[in-house]
């Protein structure tokens, strides 16, 4: 049921322009929805995270990266998703529209980078996420089960200088 509610809600949200009234409507509707769902047997925190990610797509455009990082709810959610402490016990975050908690954070940042015209603010957001996300993660899922999981623990850093000689040598 919650997947149907998410789909309906996100369809309405995505069809409207992001402004203060729209964000306030999202917050009030989601609060009312979860007041009804509190007695349900599914992972309410993960379901809340999915709806708050949609709110954050709008909030980051209105308030910027620093605005959501310092926001009481959004800042904690960002860190919880990156640390994988939110929704770790459930598949609620794994399905549409984000495909996972970290992917949800990356989607929020993608929305921000599309709208932000100040390149220094964009670079700040990119540097912030580079410090927190492992660059190499691969998972093989089959029939809803994870059969293979590999993670790159080494930090990948940018190579200084031009890559033209390296690319030309390969061809």
């Amino acid at each position: 049921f919650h997947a149907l509610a998410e789909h309906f809600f996100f369809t309405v949200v995505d069809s409207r322009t992001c402004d203060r009234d729209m964000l306030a409507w999202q917050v009030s509707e989601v609060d009312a929805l979860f007041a009804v769902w509190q007695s349900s047997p599914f992972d309410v925190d993960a379901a809340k995270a999915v709806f708050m990610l949609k709110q954050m797509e709008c909030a980051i455009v209105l308030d910027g990266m620093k605005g959501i990082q310092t926001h009481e709810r959004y800042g904690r959610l960002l860190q919880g998703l990156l640390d994988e402490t939110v929704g770790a016990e459930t598949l609620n975050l794994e399905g549409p529209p984000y495909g996972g908690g970290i992917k949800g954070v990356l989607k929020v940042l993608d929305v921000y980078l599309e709208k932000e015209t100040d390149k220094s603010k964009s670079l700040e957001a990119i540097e912030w996420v580079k410090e927190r996300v492992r660059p190499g993660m691969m998972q093989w899922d089959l029939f809803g089960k994870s059969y293979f999981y590999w993670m790159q623990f080494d930090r990948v850093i940018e190579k200084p200088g031009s890559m033209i000689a390296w690319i030309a040598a390969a061809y």
Side-chain angles (χ1 to χ4, degrees):
F1 174 75
H2 70 279
L4 178 63
E6 287 169 12
H7 181 70
F8 172 76
F9 186 80
F10 291 176
T11 300
V12 172
V13 168
D14 288 340
S15 69
R16 297 183 180 173
T17 303
C18 174
D19 58 24
R20 294 275 172 217
D21 291 336
M22 161 63 154
L23 183 58
W25 176 83
Q26 279 191 63
V27 171
S28 68
E29 289 298 312
V30 169
D31 288 346
L33 181 65
F34 281 99
V36 173
W37 284 1
Q38 286 296 64
S39 63
S40 299
F42 64 90
D43 186 347
V44 175
D45 287 339
K48 281 183 181 180
V50 173
F51 281 87
M52 281 206 304
L53 280 166
K54 184 53 78 174
Q55 292 172 17
M56 286 168 38
E57 287 180 31
C58 182
I60 198 167
V61 171
L62 297 174
D63 300 326
M65 185 69 185
K66 296 266 189 236
I68 66 163
Q69 285 175 309
T70 58
H71 189 276
E72 179 185 337
R73 294 167 81 184
Y74 303 149
R76 278 195 324 245
L77 177 60
L78 271 178
Q79 197 58 54
L81 290 170
L82 289 173
D83 294 341
E84 297 183 27
T85 57
V86 174
E89 302 297 320
T90 184
L91 293 177
N92 285 1
L93 284 170
E94 297 304 316
Y98 299 107
I102 292 175
K103 289 180 184 176
V105 171
L106 295 177
K107 171 63 176 168
V108 169
L109 292 175
D110 188 46
V111 168
Y112 175 68
L113 293 173
E114 280 184 22
K115 302 285 184 185
E116 182 55 61
T117 57
D118 184 339
K119 297 298 179 197
S120 66
K121 288 181 182 179
S122 295
L123 188 57
E124 233 175 71
I126 291 168
E127 291 298 325
W128 179 84
V129 79
K130 275 176 51 180
E131 292 171 4
R132 289 163 177 79
V133 176
R134 291 183 184 99
M137 293 176 66
M138 182 170 55
Q139 184 169 342
W140 178 41
D141 290 332
L142 188 61
F143 307 115
K145 301 279 187 188
S146 178
Y147 289 96
F148 176 77
Y149 194 78
W150 171 83
M151 197 177 290
Q152 170 91 30
F153 284 97
D154 298 324
R155 288 290 301 149
V156 175
I157 58 173
E158 296 170 11
K159 183 175 177 2
S162 173
M163 302 277 295
I164 293 173
W166 178 78
I167 292 171
Y171 296 98

